[in-house]
Amino acid sequence: MITYVDPVTGYTVRRYTEGPERNSKLYFTCENFSVDDKYFFFMKENNLAKQANAELGEGGCYRAEVETGEITRVTDTNYRGFATDREKNIGYTCMHESEVWAVELNTGEKWHVGDLPRGGQITGHLTASASGRIACSYHLANKLYALVILDPGKEAEVVYESDYRLGHAQICPSDENLIFYIHETEGDAQQRTWMFDVKERYVRPYYVEHPHEWITHEVWSGDGAEMALMKLDPPGFVDGEKGEVHTGNIIIGDKDGRHFDVAYTGLQLLHPCLSRDRKWLCADRISYLGTQVQEGVVLIERATGKSKLIATTGCCKTGADHQHPSFNRKGDQILFSHPDDNGIAQVCVIDLHQVWQDW
């Protein structure tokens, strides 16, 4: 771990990793910290091991102690889809594609929870509701896509099948009956966001898209009461002062998808995230659609709409190197991936107390 002062914002940042491997934080659609905020979790991708077809290498999921920088390996590359529980100090991960394992976040102890349908694979990370129900989007052995649930002590159940590529599945943290998912096109979609009712076996659009709307990167609030999502202006939008730029509108919707408000509008934003108290938003500012900007992390006060660029980074080499910022559970730190000089993600934390002092 090293500490440095951001050359643009002047704020102090802790960097915990160094390349050449990719070290990227967990995706922003799950908690990234242990319940006590002592640890955060990240993925190491060892490209050399992958090229050599090594079974394990040094990749996998790792745990970093926030204060000391001590790093411990949690799972090897036999596991994927690691995500932490919203309330309990547990992570969930898949071994050999279909075996679901739980991990105690402080001790690293693992135990087998159950099995997903054989011959398939998850298309994102695992998610869990407060009741203990695990849900995910899944590519079945017959090549159909599906939503799968795994209740404690029961066998996994395929609750929905589709010939669309399903992804970003997120069970509502406070309502095991609702699973949010998307039609994954790796870009725009005519209707991207969907909500599935497990009990009724009923699927409906979440945010109903109109022509030329571009909806992307959605996330539940920690309590499952709201979702944040990004609505991008279509390519070709021209700002009078800056030329061609792309506006990211952070939209907040209620759980049922009946009411939406624009919480913030900013240039070149992509991934939004809510603090657990829902008072703060953060997002990454990224070069995309041919527009180059100073990349970094933006903090937004929801009540006032006031915003500030609090950390700057290099330009991302791939989507896996995006900053994907998210709050710790207390809401006073932001974890983000910092693309290094080669565009490869390295994990960093910024303490928000220094930002609030001159807010």
Side-chain angles (χ1 to χ4, degrees):
M1 181 181 70
I2 67 166
T3 299
Y4 69 92
V5 175
D6 189 290
V8 176
T9 70
Y11 294 125
T12 300
V13 178
R14 293 176 178 174
R15 193 186 75 200
Y16 292 79
T17 60
E18 186 175 3
E21 302 91 355
R22 172 180 293 119
N23 294 281
S24 56
K25 66 181 290 292
L26 300 184
Y27 206 49
F28 72 106
T29 50
C30 73
E31 298 286 353
N32 276 234
F33 288 77
S34 58
V35 169
D36 58 6
D37 283 333
K38 182 177 181 180
Y39 303 106
F40 69 80
F41 298 82
F42 67 94
M43 305 302 296
K44 179 186 288 289
E45 182 178 319
N46 190 323
N47 292 322
L48 296 178
K50 184 183 287 188
Q51 292 169 10
N53 295 317
E55 183 178 354
L56 297 180
E58 295 182 355
C61 180
Y62 285 71
R63 182 187 75 189
E65 187 170 346
V66 176
E67 292 303 318
T68 68
E70 180 181 359
I71 291 176
T72 306
R73 194 184 199 186
V74 178
T75 63
D76 59 41
T77 54
N78 284 316
Y79 296 84
R80 57 185 300 234
F82 186 93
T84 56
D85 193 277
R86 290 284 189 180
E87 303 299 331
K88 298 182 283 292
N89 207 43
I90 296 173
Y92 300 100
T93 185
C94 278
M95 183 173 73
H96 299 141
E97 305 296 354
S98 60
E99 296 178 16
V100 178
W101 288 72
V103 182
E104 210 289 328
L105 298 183
N106 284 340
T107 66
E109 177 190 359
K110 302 179 184 66
W111 62 94
H112 183 224
V113 175
D115 297 307
L116 300 174
R118 294 291 181 184
Q121 61 181 357
I122 55 176
T123 63
H125 60 72
L126 298 174
T127 65
S129 69
S131 68
R133 170 174 285 175
I134 295 170
C136 63
S137 49
Y138 203 70
H139 198 193
L140 297 166
N142 63 6
K143 304 308 178 184
L144 288 175
Y145 288 90
L147 298 177
V148 180
I149 62 172
L150 178 61
D151 288 320
K154 297 183 180 180
E155 292 187 3
E157 182 181 3
V158 176
V159 293
Y160 178 68
E161 293 184 350
S162 174
D163 52 5
Y164 283 97
R165 181 182 174 189
L166 307 185
H168 290 216
Q170 305 170 54
I171 194 167
C172 179
S174 56
D175 187 349
E176 67 168 14
N177 194 51
L178 293 180
I179 303 174
F180 173 88
Y181 71 93
I182 67 163
H183 286 171
E184 180 61 90
T185 65
E186 298 184 351
D188 197 4
Q190 289 183 322
Q191 175 58 46
R192 172 182 165 94
T193 61
W194 300 83
M195 194 72 74
F196 180 74
D197 186 304
V198 176
K199 183 178 179 180
E200 300 297 331
R201 296 298 196 267
Y202 174 73
V203 63
R204 59 178 172 79
Y206 175 65
Y207 179 92
V208 179
E209 294 190 45
H210 295 84
H212 308 300
E213 286 191 313
W214 191 330
I215 302 298
T216 187
H217 297 125
E218 311 80 10
V219 59
W220 282 111
S221 61
D223 60 3
E226 297 179 316
M227 291 200 81
L229 52 90
M230 195 69 74
K231 177 178 176 291
L232 301 181
D233 279 325
F237 173 80
V238 176
D239 180 276
E241 296 181 359
K242 299 181 182 297
E244 183 171 333
V245 292
H246 306 280
T247 302
N249 303 282
I250 300 179
I251 298 177
I252 307 293
D254 60 13
K255 183 172 75 171
D256 295 326
R258 299 183 185 279
H259 181 82
F260 296 87
D261 290 311
V262 176
Y264 179 75
T265 297
L267 301 179
Q268 296 292 141
L269 301 182
L270 200 56
H271 302 89
C273 197
L274 284 156
S275 60
R276 285 178 69 90
D277 62 9
R278 295 190 273 139
K279 295 180 179 179
W280 295 89
L281 294 158
C282 64
D284 41 13
R285 177 165 289 151
I286 293 179
S287 301
Y288 57 81
L289 295 176
T291 300
Q292 299 297 311
V293 294
Q294 170 60 69
E295 301 203 1
V297 177
V298 177
L299 178 68
I300 303 144
E301 187 176 26
R302 187 173 173 186
T304 65
K306 182 178 178 180
S307 68
K308 195 170 200 178
L309 180 69
I310 60 172
T312 59
T313 73
C315 290
C316 315
K317 186 175 182 180
T318 69
D321 301 297
H322 284 158
Q323 293 85 350
H324 298 144
S326 56
F327 296 90
N328 65 352
R329 297 185 187 241
K330 191 176 179 180
D332 60 0
Q333 295 179 337
I334 290 178
L335 174 70
F336 62 99
S337 292
H338 186 319
D340 58 23
D341 292 340
N342 295 315
I344 303 300
Q346 308 299 330
V347 284
C348 291
V349 168
I350 180 169
D351 191 302
L352 295 180
H353 290 96
Q354 60 185 322
V355 180
W356 293 332
Q357 284 180 355
D358 59 4
W359 189 256

